[in-house]
Amino acid sequence: MCGIVGYVGRRSAVDVVIDGLRRLEYRGYDSAGVALVADGEAGGLEVDKRAGKLANLEAALADHPLPESFCGIGHTRWATHGVPSDRNAHPHLSADGRIALIHNGIIENFAQLRAELESDGIEFASDTDTEVAAHLLGREYVMEGNLTEAMTRVCSRLEGAFTLLAVAADDPDTVVGARRNSPLVVGLGRDEYFLASDVAAFIAYTTDAIELGQDQIVTIDRSGVSVRGFDGSPSEGKPFSVDWDITAAEKGGYETFMAKELREQPQAVADTLRGRIDESGQIVLDEVRMSDQDFRDVDKVFIIACGTSYHAGLVTKYAIEHWTRIPCEVELASEFRYRDPVLDRSTLVVAISQSGETMDTLMAVRHAKDQKARVLSISNTVGSTIPRESDAVLYTRAGIEVAVASTKAFLTQLAACYLVGLHLAQVRGIKYADEVSAVLDELVAAPGKIAQVIEGLEPVRQMARDCALNGGSGGGRVLFIGRHVGYPVALEGALKLKELAYLHAEGFAAGELKHGPISLVEEGTPVIAIVPSPRGRSLLHDKIISNIQEVKARGARVIAVCEEGDRITSAHADFVIETPASPTLLAPLLTAVPLQEFAIEFATALGRDIDQPRNLAKSVTVE
Ligand code: M6R
């Protein structure tokens, strides 16, 4: 939700800031803006901001370049308060025009502050919550004469979630930032310093970084970095080094980041498993700061997550309950804390979040910790807030995922969750050693099978284009059905199509269809069925074949994702996508992939923006 960048150094600030915004645009793309402090004695602020994607701002800057500057801030917005427009775009200025400020988050007491400022005669130039912070900072700066002091005083008045960056017209050497609940990292270059929502913004210049803690204020100038608490006391961040380079944040010859990331899945899953299974077949989860005894004490598991990560959690429930016999509930993080779940010290809460910053999940984690539950997070972002506030963490190793729609994050979350489930089974002695090893062998074989699925995607692409271009038939919707772990895969397939193609797509438990949703089926409606393995005379398989017949009888065009060689399914479906044989519980690692490609191709045929679908942002840092 909103990308922010700040820079002080020896390079052209506008170039560094725009470059950073380009890499952060996945966080929001409703508008973009920059503020630079002109170099030299006179200083002065130069601001440009435009509604729409960053390209609009870049075009404006090409027409009217800003004066030379080595100090600046920039913002790419996901709108919360106020429509996407030039006037609501950040930066916002203080009433005297001497301070420019950008913000990620929501200032919850903005209405009260706005009323107070308006009663003092201040006129507002936007509908945003952010502008109150700009005016307060302007007022404090006049009194304090020091941006860091002024920011400290302003933070004591704000409630909610905010990362703020500010520059002052008469200080061409300083950017001040503040962080509460929304991400902010510092990049350490040689005689140059960066502030950003995410390291991707400055990875082209440095891999040395500092992670800021909760309620900290940071000041960068040409001589270095200083950190203090909101109470003004000296503090420090946590240094770390970024272990991927700029090529990971480039498209590498693909049309879209999503197409590239889909094809990185075999490697990402292999990387997530790497080093986590020792030679004797024991699962070794080094970063997990929970002892075997802690895992033995668990008598209930709650999984909390949002969106795609929630779907990974739904798959995990089947695996954990089957492998460990521990009851497992999965809950949308945004609902969790509001219904007063029953938690105690022997409850294990697994929080799944690619970004590690999703506010709904973070708040659910805090609630779980308040109730004394142990929290294990599964995240792709080292040093992000959710892992930092958890008792234990297992990192997926998907590398940076730029496309808003998740692909490799999902598959690596599944891999990490399977490891957690099998680890629980191992330490509790629920399964024989050879049973666990058999699953682990299959897990280790999964990357090769995912690669096989990817190699066979061409027919899926053609079929998806055909479906998209014949969207007029079938009620203009696509339904996804599945049973058991195929059900969460159906939900994920529908989410991918919804977010990319802006089309009514819905996933159902196949058995539930006849209880209502089957009325959505009409002549030509595409119904994508995730079919479990037919091996071992699977009851599940028989049941979904019946469900396929039910929709076919009502005119559906059935597309089946099934195991290779499944002749029964091929006899009933209009189009078949085969995946390699896999144990039932691990099948989502394979069956989700063609649905990702289906969504990309379907949406491409409709001319949609694949990497930046409308109204969305990758990292949702508001509740
Ligand atoms: O970063 P998180 O995993 O916490 O994000 C949760 C959801 O916002 C996310 O999974 C979202 O649904 C996907 N990007 C959709 O493809």
Side-chain angles (χ1 to χ4, degrees):
M1 293 286 87
C2 304
I4 59 181
V5 188
Y7 176 75
V8 175
R10 53 199 157 76
R11 301 173 207 257
S12 154
V14 71
D15 291 348
V16 175
V17 168
I18 293 288
D19 188 42
L21 291 182
R22 203 172 294 124
R23 297 185 198 289
L24 294 186
E25 208 182 2
Y26 69 86
R27 301 181 70 89
Y29 29 84
D30 289 336
S31 63
V34 291
L36 307 176
V37 191
D39 204 40
E41 284 291 293
L45 287 178
E46 299 288 342
V47 177
D48 202 342
K49 50 187 199 168
R50 304 284 159 161
K53 297 205 169 174
L54 181 63
N56 294 354
L57 175 65
E58 288 182 283
L61 290 172
D63 286 349
H64 303 285
L66 298 178
E68 183 169 59
S69 161
F70 302 98
C71 171
I73 55 178
H75 187 270
T76 176
R77 177 172 188 240
W78 186 83
T80 59
H81 295 58
V83 297
S85 63
D86 286 356
R87 86 187 214 103
N88 287 332
H90 299 213
H92 292 284
L93 296 178
S94 57
D96 61 6
R98 308 296 294 163
I99 295 286
L101 176 136
I102 57 179
H103 168 221
N104 172 25
I106 291 180
I107 297 169
E108 285 170 1
N109 57 337
F110 86 97
Q112 173 201 331
L113 293 170
R114 182 171 176 140
E116 174 190 316
L117 288 159
E118 281 175 334
S119 73
D120 289 347
I122 288 182
E123 280 179 31
F124 275 70
S126 79
D127 311 312
T128 64
D129 53 333
T130 305
E131 198 182 340
V132 295
H135 292 308
L136 288 173
L137 191 62
R139 219 155 63 168
E140 294 296 341
Y141 188 62
V142 169
M143 287 187 284
E144 296 288 339
N146 173 301
L147 202 51
T148 308
E149 292 299 334
M151 183 67 95
T152 310
R153 293 179 68 86
V154 169
C155 287
S156 70
R157 301 221 50 207
L158 304 181
E159 289 167 17
F162 50 88
T163 295
L164 304 170
L165 293 190
V167 287
D170 57 359
D171 190 349
D173 193 34
T174 305
V175 181
V176 173
R179 174 184 187 272
R180 167 176 286 169
N181 288 335
S182 297
L184 183 61
V185 282
V186 187
L188 308 172
R190 205 162 41 83
D191 305 327
E192 57 179 353
Y193 299 91
F194 308 80
L195 293 171
S197 321
D198 179 330
V199 295
F202 54 72
I203 190 76
Y205 310 103
T206 180
T207 53
D208 294 326
I210 297 178
E211 163 196 328
L212 291 175
Q214 183 69 326
D215 289 2
Q216 287 188 329
I217 290 179
V218 59
T219 306
I220 58 170
D221 59 31
R222 267 172 251 212
S223 64
V225 179
S226 66
V227 181
R228 56 158 65 178
F230 274 10
D231 59 1
S233 61
S235 185
E236 49 190 44
K238 196 169 142 206
F240 68 103
S241 184
V242 186
D243 61 0
W244 47 270
D245 64 24
I246 192 66
T247 54
E250 309 282 356
K251 284 187 196 155
Y254 288 95
E255 283 287 299
T256 62
F257 277 107
M258 189 172 172
K260 172 178 173 248
E261 289 158 5
L262 185 156
R263 281 155 187 81
E264 287 170 346
Q265 294 186 108
Q267 190 60 49
V269 170
D271 288 345
T272 300
L273 299 175
R274 187 173 21 88
R276 285 167 169 166
I277 305 163
D278 74 11
E279 284 162 6
S280 66
Q282 286 298 307
I283 295 168
V284 191
L285 302 178
D286 283 337
E287 327 86 300
V288 170
R289 302 176 294 265
M290 273 175 71
S291 68
D292 286 359
Q293 189 55 49
D294 291 337
F295 278 110
R296 279 192 277 273
D297 290 342
V298 169
D299 64 12
K300 183 172 183 185
V301 178
F302 262 108
I303 301 177
I304 47 174
C306 304
T308 291
S309 303
Y310 170 70
H311 298 154
L314 289 174
V315 172
T316 308
K317 172 185 167 71
Y318 292 87
I320 286 188
E321 291 193 336
H322 182 73
W323 290 334
T324 71
R325 312 307 300 153
I326 306 173
C328 176
E329 287 186 42
V330 192
E331 188 136 355
L332 288 167
S334 53
E335 288 294 315
F336 181 72
R337 70 177 169 140
Y338 298 105
R339 68 164 186 84
D340 201 10
V342 181
L343 309 166
D344 59 30
R345 191 71 190 141
S346 48
T347 311
L348 175 66
V349 171
V350 179
I352 309 176
S353 175
Q354 186 282 131
S355 60
E357 300 291 349
T358 299
M359 188 59 73
D360 290 318
T361 312
L362 175 61
M363 290 304 165
V365 163
R366 289 185 180 161
H367 182 75
K369 292 202 70 177
D370 286 348
Q371 308 293 307
K372 310 287 177 245
R374 282 177 212 277
V375 178
L376 164 65
S377 57
I378 292 182
S379 177
N380 193 40
T381 312
V382 175
S384 53
T385 310
I386 293 170
R388 270 216 333 270
E389 297 198 10
S390 302
D391 298 294
V393 58
L394 182 62
Y395 285 111
T396 51
R397 298 184 187 129
I400 184 172
E401 192 181 65
V402 176
V404 165
S406 286
T407 51
K408 59 180 180 170
F410 180 60
L411 260 56
T412 54
Q413 286 167 345
L414 290 177
C417 287
Y418 290 138
L419 287 175
V420 170
L422 290 169
H423 184 62
L424 266 170
Q426 246 172 8
V427 299
R428 297 163 71 92
I430 308 276
K431 289 257 168 235
Y432 293 129
D434 59 339
E435 290 176 302
V436 175
S437 318
V439 184
L440 285 175
D441 288 348
E442 290 286 354
L443 197 51
V444 169
K449 294 182 186 180
I450 300 166
Q452 242 177 288
V453 175
I454 292 171
E455 273 162 32
L457 286 175
E458 184 49 38
V460 177
R461 276 196 284 278
Q462 287 176 22
M463 177 271 292
R465 278 195 291 272
D466 182 51
C467 270
L469 299 172
N470 293 306
S473 67
R477 64 179 71 91
V478 178
L479 308 183
F480 294 73
I481 58 172
R483 282 176 176 261
H484 194 262
V485 290
Y487 168 44
V489 172
L491 295 177
E492 176 61 9
L495 174 61
K496 288 284 93 85
L497 191 59
K498 257 185 280 210
E499 63 182 333
L500 293 189
Y502 319 150
L503 178 99
H504 176 214
E506 226 176 317
F508 298 102
E512 204 44 32
L513 215 57
K514 58 188 176 293
H515 296 289
I518 200 164
S519 61
L520 291 170
V521 175
E522 54 190 87
E523 196 60 39
T525 303
V527 175
I528 302 192
I530 321 303
V531 182
S533 169
R535 282 171 293 136
R537 304 174 66 96
S538 155
L539 189 62
L540 272 178
H541 186 270
D542 295 350
K543 297 284 180 214
I544 202 149
I545 293 294
S546 305
N547 302 136
I548 286 177
Q549 283 168 325
E550 288 154 15
V551 291
K552 259 196 92 73
R554 286 156 180 89
R557 174 184 184 186
V558 175
I559 298 153
V561 182
C562 64
E563 191 171 292
E564 57 198 2
D566 177 352
R567 294 226 175 78
I568 308 170
T569 300
S570 347
H572 291 94
D574 297 292
F575 186 90
V576 168
I577 303 168
E578 291 194 333
T579 56
S582 153
T584 300
L585 285 168
L586 304 191
L589 287 169
L590 309 179
T591 51
V593 177
L595 306 189
Q596 298 166 344
E597 187 72 2
F598 177 81
I600 293 178
E601 210 53 41
F602 194 112
T604 304
L606 298 182
R608 309 293 194 233
D609 185 332
I610 300 301
D611 287 334
Q612 297 178 342
R614 72 180 179 202
N615 301 342
L616 296 177
K618 183 139 192 89
S619 183
V620 185
T621 54
V622 294
E623 261 193 287

